[in-house]
Amino acid sequence: MALIEVRSFDNGNPMREANSDRETRMSNHFSADNLKFPGDDRRLDLTDVFAFTSSSSPDKTVLIMDANPTGAPPPIPEQHQGPEFYPGAVYRINVDSDGDTRGDVAFTFVFSDYRDGTQTGTAWYATGADARRPEPAGEVIADAIPVTFDGSVKPVEKDQIRLFTGLRSDPFFADVEGALHGLEWTGHDDFAGNNVDCIALEVPSSMLGPSPTIGVWATISRRNNGKLEQMDRGGNPTINPFINPDGQKNLYNARQPSDDVANYLGPWSKVLEEGGYSAEDAKAAAMQDLPDILRYDRTKPAAYPNGRSLTDDVFSMRFAWLTNGRIGPTGLQPHDDMLAQFPYLGPPNPEQ
């Protein structure tokens, strides 16, 4: 089997036969241009989105967004911002409940300044037109939500909703070294021992709309000259960092899923043709991830691409997608520190 490698995308052609060392992108970590964090601030970096049925209540759905990765494998330079959420930024989980690629439900979080090792947040729940407003809107679910940094679990409960915000172990697993060296998998998990800031929700499924099938994506926005600027977004794992060329990643982060097919069906199909698909099959494969919304039929078990659980090997799946199945699984196993119950992510790893 020929070795296919994801290049640094400088020439806009991400696929080639190669054995040389080049940069690669992984998960939604480091999703800005030039292998950087959005806004050059890791607290604005959306890493992963998960959607699955609650393990304790089959009539409830769990939605999780992670941000602020505290570790970065080489050659990515580490940044040393703290473990907190970006103060004043708008963190949002969006839900499309009718298949029109527009938000019908939104859970929005804004966090206070980080002082003396503490931080709090406020959460809103919005539907309809309010769910599409850039600013927080709708009903305040809870305020003064404690952000935990010490591994303790302090969920806030209100009206059958449970929510948690805090530092947790990063569940994403990937063989970055293997990707950097000719896609010869090493068996080393470069994300073991890393942490993320987690926003976890467990809500009655009825709050997400009457259809069993929903679409989920997350966004992070911060203020620039008094206006909100969307810095990162994503639903499907390992998309923008893998497939969009430098010079396009920041633009992608600022756009909305409703425009994805018009903007990206052509270029993504071309990338997939270079990965080994016919022209017709490339378009069909591109549409598996366009628009960039995580689709979840709640009548079926969550396993990516139907929702996403914490144990799904999305890194291997993305390479298989890019190469029409020519690249096999990395062989890595999910992290073993996850919890069986809410908030599901394991306690934070010690600082290294």
Side-chain angles (χ1 to χ4, degrees), residues 14-29:
M15 307 303 294
R16 72 185 288 261
E17 303 291 334
N19 287 297
S20 61
D21 297 346
R22 291 186 182 269
E23 292 179 354
T24 186
R25 273 68 172 166
M26 60 291 295
S27 189
N28 292 337
H29 302 65

Side-chain angles (χ1 to χ4, degrees), residues 122-183:
T122 301
W124 288 261
Y125 167 66
T127 60
D130 282 344
R132 295 182 284 273
R133 299 182 189 277
E135 298 284 349
E139 171 193 358
V140 173
I141 301 173
D143 56 12
I145 303 165
V147 179
T148 64
F149 301 102
D150 60 1
S152 60
V153 176
K154 299 176 181 177
V156 173
E157 300 191 26
K158 182 180 179 181
D159 298 333
Q160 300 188 63
I161 300 171
R162 283 203 290 182
L163 57 89
F164 168 87
T165 60
L167 190 68
R168 305 301 288 176
S169 175
D170 189 346
F172 181 68
F173 53 102
D175 186 346
V176 177
E177 283 300 312
L180 292 173
H181 296 88
L183 294 178

Side-chain angles (χ1 to χ4, degrees), residues 326-343:
R326 283 187 282 170
I327 298 299
T330 64
L332 295 180
Q333 297 299 312
H335 296 168
D336 59 6
D337 59 356
M338 290 175 286
L339 308 179
Q341 302 293 331
F342 189 85

Side-chain angles (χ1 to χ4, degrees), residues 111-301:
F111 297 92
S112 70
D113 290 335
Y114 179 62
R115 292 190 179 128
D116 300 323
T118 64
Q119 188 177 39
T120 60
T122 301
W124 288 261
Y125 167 66
T127 60
D130 282 344
R132 295 182 284 273
R133 299 182 189 277
E135 298 284 349
E139 171 193 358
V140 173
I141 301 173
D143 56 12
I145 303 165
V147 179
T148 64
F149 301 102
D150 60 1
S152 60
V153 176
K154 299 176 181 177
V156 173
E157 300 191 26
K158 182 180 179 181
D159 298 333
Q160 300 188 63
I161 300 171
R162 283 203 290 182
L163 57 89
F164 168 87
T165 60
L167 190 68
R168 305 301 288 176
S169 175
D170 189 346
F172 181 68
F173 53 102
D175 186 346
V176 177
E177 283 300 312
L180 292 173
H181 296 88
L183 294 178
E184 294 182 357
W185 302 128
T186 68
H188 177 69
D189 179 3
D190 292 273
F191 286 82
N194 290 352
N195 297 322
V196 288
D197 283 337
C198 169
I199 296 174
L201 287 158
E202 185 178 79
V203 303
S205 297
S206 59
M207 292 181 67
L208 308 179
S211 172
T213 301
I214 58 174
V216 182
W217 74 102
T219 57
I220 302 176
S221 306
R222 74 172 176 187
R223 300 187 188 282
N224 183 15
N225 295 323
K227 295 184 179 180
L228 278 179
E229 180 182 12
Q230 185 171 291
M231 304 301 299
D232 206 353
R233 59 108 171 187
N236 290 292
T238 63
I239 286 289
N240 187 21
F242 265 66
I243 199 168
N244 291 318
D246 279 329
Q248 294 294 315
K249 296 182 189 298
N250 291 345
L251 175 61
Y252 183 89
N253 288 334
R255 285 173 162 170
Q256 302 302 319
S258 56
D259 300 319
D260 281 348
V261 174
N263 289 326
Y264 298 108
L265 179 57
W268 288 17
S269 297
K270 182 63 176 175
V271 168
L272 293 169
E273 284 184 55
E274 293 165 352
Y277 291 85
S278 69
E280 182 179 354
D281 289 344
K283 287 185 178 181
M287 287 302 296
Q288 293 174 13
D289 291 306
L290 284 172
D292 187 2
I293 294 175
L294 180 65
R295 301 174 179 93
Y296 181 29
D297 180 349
R298 293 175 286 174
T299 66
K300 300 177 181 178

